[in-house]
Amino acid sequence: MFRLCGLLSKCHYFRRPVSPVRQFAQSNVQLLDSNVKLEEETLPWYTQDRSYPVKIGEVFQARYQVLGKLGFGGYSTVWLCRDLTHHKYVTLKVFERDSAEGKREVEAYYRIHASKASHDGAKFVRKALDSFQIGHAEGIYQCLVHQPLGMSLYDLRTQFTAKILPEKLLKMTLVHILLALDYLHAEAGIIHTDIQEKNIMLGIEDISVLVDFEEAEKSSPSPRKIAGDRLIYASRKLKKTKQHGQPILCDFGQARFGSIRYCGDIQPYIYRAPEVLLHMSWDHKVDIWNIGLVAWDLSQTKHLFYARDSKKQNSDANHIAEMVALLGPPPREMINGSGYAKDFFDLEGNWKGAVPIPSICLEQLEENLQGEQQQLFLTFMRKMLRWRPEDRKSARELLSDPWLRSE
């Protein structure tokens, strides 16, 4: 465990008294149908014994009081809390019991905390303020404390009428993300492996949204259901604001570390890099492929890859066929180096025809730019969307791209 705010303890003579514990109403609570699954209960792998039963009003470490539920992820629940010692709002992330994702996140934040904070990208990567564990009859639950963040890039994008980011905002956002990624790769030795719109969140400039959240929970308690010996809460959203902070790269539960090559499935399915699809080893360049697809999603109304069969099931054959349509066939050395590739290509590198190669190209699929700006954007995309990982530009190289730097 670590406490990044431990230095503040040296200034205890100048501290304000600890804030009093907030009181929350026990009446006027809407109870939901106990037979209907709610939030984290809807996850296929959810079981009660794996999830810690956080309660609104509960205080952890004699310091962090839970004010309400912000949301849930695949392996955790997220809560807005008040740091009673330092008189500020924080976010508490509580992982499932003995969570591998929790262990990876803690290791990632160790590396971030120990790395070069002067790098320009460090401020665009989420930091951990504190880490602790909850001991319980069912096991150990890892917890992380963060500075609160606002909406995700996905939520921001969908607020625009066209459901895409304006080009100027898109460029600024990508510069921030690439700086964050260069910091992770070059300084912290972290491969994120899960870069997507929902894992990039905006800083909070208007603290009133947190105050409003707390007051709303007091006056109108969140709906909840009783499930055995625990409560399952409905999440409460932060109010919308026009004052957004900088984009921050979050969620390191799937991160890998160091310069070694890894094997195995990673990344959301439609974001998977070719080497992952072809069951080959991979390294930090999978993040560059990811950035390319995030850039596309932020600027277009449809994902670049559909990657599904006629039954709308994930399909490697359809996914790889789309890649061939957009990138041409993979290099022969990739085909020869992947036993799985031989299911789709013959010894000469020709497509076997598992499914038809669609008649598509990037120029046809790009809907929002014209002329020189479109060509510059597509050139930028092609620097990331390459079959061979070593052919993809690094985050640092991409930062000097002409389209990204154009007015």
Side-chain angles (χ1 to χ4, degrees):
M1 295 187 291
F2 55 93
R3 286 189 179 276
L4 303 184
C5 47
L7 292 176
L8 295 176
S9 63
K10 296 179 181 178
C11 305
H12 64 278
Y13 291 111
F14 303 100
R15 278 187 186 166
R16 292 159 50 194
V18 174
S19 294
V21 173
R22 271 71 165 163
Q23 300 300 317
F24 290 89
Q26 301 301 315
S27 59
N28 192 32
V29 173
Q30 180 187 357
L31 288 178
L32 304 175
D33 187 344
S34 61
N35 295 314
V36 177
K37 292 183 178 180
L38 178 65
E39 303 225 342
E40 60 266 25
E41 290 183 305
T42 62
L43 297 170
W45 52 85
Y46 174 85
T47 58
Q48 280 197 2
D49 64 305
R50 290 174 61 178
S51 180
Y52 182 79
V54 177
K55 293 183 175 64
I56 292 176
E58 186 171 5
V59 179
F60 293 100
Q61 302 294 101
R63 177 174 178 179
Y64 304 114
Q65 185 179 19
V66 179
L67 305 180
K69 186 179 181 183
L70 289 167
F72 70 100
Y75 306 95
S76 62
T77 53
V78 183
W79 308 80
L80 183 68
C81 295
R82 186 70 179 174
D83 182 342
L84 302 176
T85 301
H86 293 118
H87 313 281
K88 64 181 181 180
Y89 292 102
V90 296
T91 297
L92 176 67
K93 189 171 187 178
V94 182
F95 289 92
E96 288 184 337
R97 181 193 66 205
D98 303 323
S99 167
E101 288 72 22
K103 293 174 182 176
R104 288 196 191 106
E105 285 236 39
V106 169
E107 182 172 351
Y109 288 119
Y110 269 123
R111 286 173 172 265
I112 289 168
H113 182 51
S115 62
K116 189 177 179 181
S118 60
H119 188 287
D120 289 341
K123 56 182 171 290
F124 306 121
V125 173
R126 197 172 204 180
K127 309 298 189 300
L129 303 176
D130 197 1
S131 170
F132 62 90
Q133 295 177 336
I134 302 171
H136 191 263
E138 301 292 350
I140 300 296
Y141 300 86
Q142 180 65 53
C143 300
L144 285 167
V145 179
H146 301 282
Q147 182 177 343
L149 294 174
M151 68 172 60
S152 69
L153 279 188
Y154 172 82
D155 293 325
L156 177 67
R157 176 176 63 80
T158 55
Q159 285 192 349
F160 289 93
T161 302
K163 307 301 181 187
I164 62 171
L165 294 189
E167 186 180 5
K168 184 176 181 180
L169 179 57
L170 172 65
K171 291 176 183 177
M172 292 172 55
T173 301
L174 290 173
V175 166
H176 290 143
I177 300 169
L178 287 168
L179 282 168
L181 199 57
D182 182 55
Y183 164 71
L184 291 178
H185 289 173
E187 298 293 341
I190 296 173
I191 311 171
H192 191 285
T193 84
D194 192 20
I195 300 172
Q196 52 180 304
E197 289 176 286
K198 293 182 179 181
N199 286 343
I200 303 167
M201 303 181 74
L202 302 178
I204 293 177
E205 296 291 319
D206 181 6
I207 196 70
S208 69
V209 299
L210 304 176
V211 177
D212 290 344
F213 182 101
E214 178 180 358
E215 293 305 315
E217 185 60 42
K218 289 178 181 176
S219 60
S220 179
S222 298
R224 63 204 65 182
K225 59 173 281 190
I226 299 173
D229 61 350
R230 66 182 59 210
L231 297 173
I232 305 292
Y233 295 90
S235 299
R236 182 186 298 276
K237 289 186 176 295
L238 296 174
K239 284 188 176 180
K240 292 182 180 179
T241 176
K242 294 182 179 179
Q243 299 180 46
H244 299 300
Q246 297 170 325
I248 305 294
L249 183 57
C250 307
D251 290 301
F252 295 92
Q254 300 299 328
R256 303 296 191 274
F257 310 104
S259 58
I260 64 174
R261 297 189 67 83
Y262 289 86
C263 296
D265 287 342
I266 51 165
Q267 303 175 303
Y269 187 74
I270 58 170
Y271 285 0
R272 284 185 179 170
E275 60 270 32
V276 178
L277 274 181
L278 294 175
H279 301 180
M280 303 176 72
S281 65
W282 47 265
D283 61 12
H284 67 283
K285 285 297 184 73
V286 294
D287 283 344
I288 300 299
W289 180 273
N290 251 180
I291 286 287
L293 296 186
V294 168
W296 187 268
D297 280 356
L298 292 172
S299 63
Q300 310 296 317
T301 57
K302 296 180 181 178
H303 295 304
L304 185 57
F305 298 109
Y306 181 65
R308 294 190 176 189
D309 59 23
S310 59
K311 297 179 181 178
K312 297 185 177 180
Q313 301 294 314
N314 289 342
S315 165
D316 288 356
N318 284 272
H319 202 166
I320 295 169
E322 290 176 279
M323 289 183 179
V324 172
L326 297 178
L327 310 180
R332 288 281 295 278
E333 64 265 28
M334 282 193 76
I335 296 173
N336 295 335
S338 164
Y340 189 48
K342 295 176 176 61
D343 288 356
F344 308 102
F345 301 94
D346 64 22
L347 295 177
E348 301 301 317
N350 300 308
W351 183 249
K352 285 185 176 181
V355 297
I357 302 292
S359 299
I360 55 175
C361 67
L362 287 178
E363 284 76 8
Q364 292 173 333
L365 296 175
E366 203 292 316
E367 301 175 331
N368 300 304
L369 298 173
Q370 296 178 346
E372 183 182 7
Q373 281 302 102
Q374 184 191 63
Q375 290 307 310
L376 286 172
F377 172 70
L378 295 182
T379 299
F380 172 70
M381 291 293 300
R382 288 184 169 111
K383 292 177 181 180
M384 298 174 280
L385 302 182
R386 306 294 295 269
W387 282 105
R388 295 187 344 142
E390 55 267 38
D391 292 340
R392 296 171 207 150
K393 298 296 184 181
S394 68
R396 186 168 300 180
E397 290 170 326
L398 289 166
L399 283 165
S400 60
D401 177 80
W403 172 78
L404 202 61
R405 292 300 182 182
S406 64
E407 294 294 332

